[in-house]
Amino acid sequence: MNPLSIIPPVDDLLNTSEAVALIDEYGKQSVKAAIQSELVQIRKKIINKSGQTTRAALIEHILKSIRENLTFEFRSRLGYVINATGIILHTGLGRAPLSESAGEHIQHVIKGYSNLELDMESGKRGDRMTHIRDLLCKLAGSEDALVVNNNAAAVFLSLNTLACGKEVLVSRGELVEIGGSFRIPDIMHKSGVIMHEVGTTNKTKLSDYKNGVSEHTGAVMVAHTSNYRITGFTETVALNELCDVAHSHNMPVIHDLGAGVIHDLRAFNLPYEPLVQHSLHAGVDVVTFSGDKVLGGPQSGILVGSRYYLEQIFENPIMRAVRCGKLTLAGLEGTLKLFFKAEFPQNHKSMQLLTDSVEHIVEKAEYIVSRLHTDIRTRYRVKIETCTSQPGSGALPTEELPSRAIVLEHSSPHKVAEHLRKSDPPVIPYIYKGLVFLNLRTVDKTELEPLTNVLNQL
């Protein structure tokens, strides 16, 4: 008897009640492909004499296997995780966690249709920027504002609109690279401008800019060194002085501020970071920054500044390629409104994490440890240790925030970390000196119970 004869035909398997149920959930094409793939593996095993079974048992095995495979294949790839890394604006984890207000605005919009580009007074087609323009202008003190899909697009669009084919002056000390291999020189090249470096890595003087201006110069670019610091024998040019030089030649100044700080962090005992408002007060024509860093909103790039220049940028055909959709604008609107409320920063998730007290973090750590099973505390030698957190995503690059971590000791820390990442909900720890750290600065109070449950299942 041919051992392959026990393999059931594909059609027979598709007609089983189990397969019919899977077809209702995943579609016939997906189920059929999963069966065919499984049968290929079974044939190999039988030919290699590594699998001996009955037809009935084989059918049961196939149906069980394809259900597992389809469940895995169609699982939600993008989902919620508990951030126990201590990095507040973690690019790999979606940067800024959205505040409740942002979520409420998004939920309101996804109920059905929305007035994205409808003027509710006239009933005619409107401008999607209307929903956030006034809020941004009030916060930044600017004449106009635009939103695109990220800050790289904002920088690109500004350069391409205002200086394509012309030279753009930029200090050598500001040719930064940030995460994801985004480099200022690359974005300038792709935008169609000709980069003209002035000064040196550590010193750029006003005379360097003056001497760099020619009939071919179209703009001046300033890039905030948000993810590193140059210290020691250094010199930079004050923005107002640089603007005076540029404006005397009828050229705009574009300032890439990256982190998007619109509220003075010194009010919360954090180091000073350049404010968007200060750049505008100094005379900068276009300021660009991220909406999903310190600002705390969804991924977006924001442009504020002179109406004269922003109207030109808005008319650039590339604007349509990089514009934001209704969900981004809704989340951003909900975030921006928080800055006007008396409860700020407690109601703003990113700022709340940045300003959280050590005492409160200690309370969170002690709460979790007190609820861990005795065998878990013993097996993993659980303890609470002093550690530090980082703002992340290029914000406050040299700042370390005091924090506390729950530390687990195990012979295979990477296996423990993997187990945590695959838990429900997934927990993202980090490994330091062979130990598993769960930094609680980035763990919200609403996540204490879920995190405790995950740890108790290790």
Side-chain angles (χ1 to χ4, degrees):
M1 178 180 175
N2 184 353
L4 294 176
S5 63
I6 67 168
I7 298 177
V10 172
D11 287 342
D12 286 359
L13 290 166
L14 285 172
N15 289 327
T16 62
S17 59
E18 294 89 341
V20 170
L22 290 173
I23 289 170
D24 289 341
E25 191 170 355
Y26 300 112
K28 185 173 181 179
Q29 186 176 352
S30 297
V31 176
K32 185 175 181 179
I35 290 173
Q36 290 171 332
S37 177
E38 184 65 25
L39 292 181
V40 169
Q41 299 303 317
I42 288 172
R43 287 190 185 96
K44 288 180 181 179
K45 289 181 179 180
I46 292 176
I47 291 170
N48 295 329
K49 297 181 179 179
S50 59
Q52 295 182 358
T53 185
T54 64
R55 185 184 182 92
L58 188 59
I59 292 175
E60 183 181 351
H61 166 79
I62 291 170
L63 294 171
K64 180 175 181 293
S65 181
I66 65 171
R67 172 170 284 282
E68 291 175 352
N69 292 338
L70 287 169
T71 300
F72 179 78
E73 183 180 350
F74 284 89
R75 73 194 187 282
S76 296
R77 302 299 178 96
L78 179 61
Y80 159 74
V81 303
I82 294 177
N83 176 11
T85 68
I87 301 173
I88 296 167
L89 305 173
H90 195 304
T91 300
L93 303 183
R95 286 189 178 168
L98 292 182
S99 302
E100 187 175 332
S101 175
E104 289 173 352
H105 277 67
I106 292 172
Q107 287 292 328
H108 184 63
V109 166
I110 64 175
K111 287 180 179 179
Y113 295 102
S114 69
N115 60 326
L116 178 64
E117 290 190 1
L118 177 67
D119 186 320
M120 300 296 280
E121 291 187 9
S122 67
K124 297 179 180 179
R125 183 162 184 170
D127 171 14
R128 66 178 61 194
M129 294 298 160
T130 302
H131 307 293
I132 47 81
R133 180 178 281 119
D134 288 347
L135 287 170
L136 281 170
C137 288
K138 286 178 182 178
L139 280 172
S142 62
E143 291 182 350
D144 203 355
L146 297 173
V147 179
V148 291
N149 62 359
N150 61 26
N151 189 47
V155 174
F156 175 91
L157 199 59
S158 301
L159 292 168
N160 180 263
T161 304
L162 305 181
C164 187
K166 299 179 181 179
E167 291 184 353
V168 173
L169 305 184
V170 61
S171 168
R172 282 191 176 90
E174 297 171 0
L175 299 180
V176 300
E177 175 181 331
I178 62 172
S181 300
F182 170 78
R183 293 182 171 187
I184 288 293
D186 294 341
I187 206 75
M188 293 182 76
H189 172 70
K190 289 295 184 181
S191 70
V193 307
I194 302 165
M195 184 175 69
H196 183 162
E197 301 175 39
V198 298
T200 63
T201 301
N202 61 319
K203 279 202 170 193
T204 302
K205 303 177 181 180
L206 188 61
S207 58
D208 293 320
Y209 287 102
K210 289 180 177 179
N211 295 333
V213 176
S214 72
E215 60 183 14
H216 306 294
T217 309
V220 176
M221 170 84 175
V222 180
H224 175 50
T225 55
S226 60
N227 59 352
Y228 74 99
R229 291 286 184 267
I230 298 176
T231 59
F233 190 57
T234 63
E235 184 175 345
T236 57
V237 179
L239 274 177
N240 63 321
E241 295 179 348
L242 183 54
C243 290
D244 288 342
V245 171
H247 295 162
S248 69
H249 294 277
N250 296 316
M251 297 186 305
V253 176
I254 303 167
H255 194 183
D256 171 17
L257 260 182
V261 181
I262 59 174
H263 197 292
D264 197 336
L265 298 180
R266 290 175 295 187
F268 311 108
N269 297 317
L270 293 169
Y272 173 75
E273 276 286 299
L275 291 166
V276 172
Q277 297 92 320
H278 290 177
S279 295
L280 294 171
H281 292 162
V284 172
D285 301 285
V286 179
V287 181
T288 74
F289 52 96
S290 296
D292 56 339
K293 290 187 177 179
V294 178
L295 190 71
Q299 178 183 303
S300 52
I302 298 171
L303 304 90
V304 295
S306 161
R307 182 176 293 110
Y308 173 75
Y309 289 115
L310 288 188
E311 285 180 347
Q312 295 178 49
I313 294 171
F314 182 72
E315 295 299 325
N316 188 324
I318 298 174
M319 178 71 195
R320 186 174 182 86
V322 297
R323 68 182 182 178
C324 294
K326 58 187 178 183
L327 301 187
T328 298
L329 293 173
L332 187 58
E333 181 184 9
T335 302
L336 294 173
K337 287 180 177 179
L338 295 175
F339 288 88
F340 296 94
K341 295 182 180 294
E343 297 85 359
F344 183 84
Q346 288 78 19
N347 56 358
H348 186 286
K349 205 159 190 178
S350 295
M351 287 301 301
Q352 191 276 322
L353 294 175
L354 278 168
T355 59
D356 201 6
S357 68
V358 174
E359 292 75 18
H360 183 236
I361 297 171
V362 169
E363 288 177 6
K364 291 192 290 185
E366 291 176 343
Y367 177 90
I368 291 176
V369 171
S370 69
R371 283 159 177 76
L372 292 180
H373 299 328
T374 303
D375 66 312
I376 294 293
R377 291 202 302 267
T378 303
R379 194 189 326 154
Y380 292 94
R381 299 183 182 179
V382 177
K383 54 186 174 181
I384 299 172
E385 285 200 4
T386 299
C387 61
T388 58
S389 291
Q390 297 174 339
S393 291
L396 299 166
T398 61
E399 184 69 7
E400 292 191 341
L401 307 173
S403 187
R404 295 294 186 273
I406 293 175
V407 179
L408 310 177
E409 184 177 339
H410 193 269
S411 59
S412 300
H414 290 281
K415 286 186 177 180
V416 175
E418 181 182 6
H419 183 91
L420 290 170
R421 291 195 303 272
K422 293 180 177 179
S423 61
D424 183 19
V427 177
I428 314 299
Y430 65 97
I431 296 173
Y432 177 66
K433 293 184 178 181
L435 302 171
V436 179
F437 276 69
L438 297 116
N439 191 317
L440 295 184
R441 177 173 285 276
T442 46
V443 175
D444 189 77
K445 62 183 180 180
T446 60
E447 297 172 322
L448 298 183
E449 287 296 341
L451 177 54
T452 303
N453 293 337
V454 167
L455 293 175
N456 276 328
Q457 294 171 22
L458 281 173

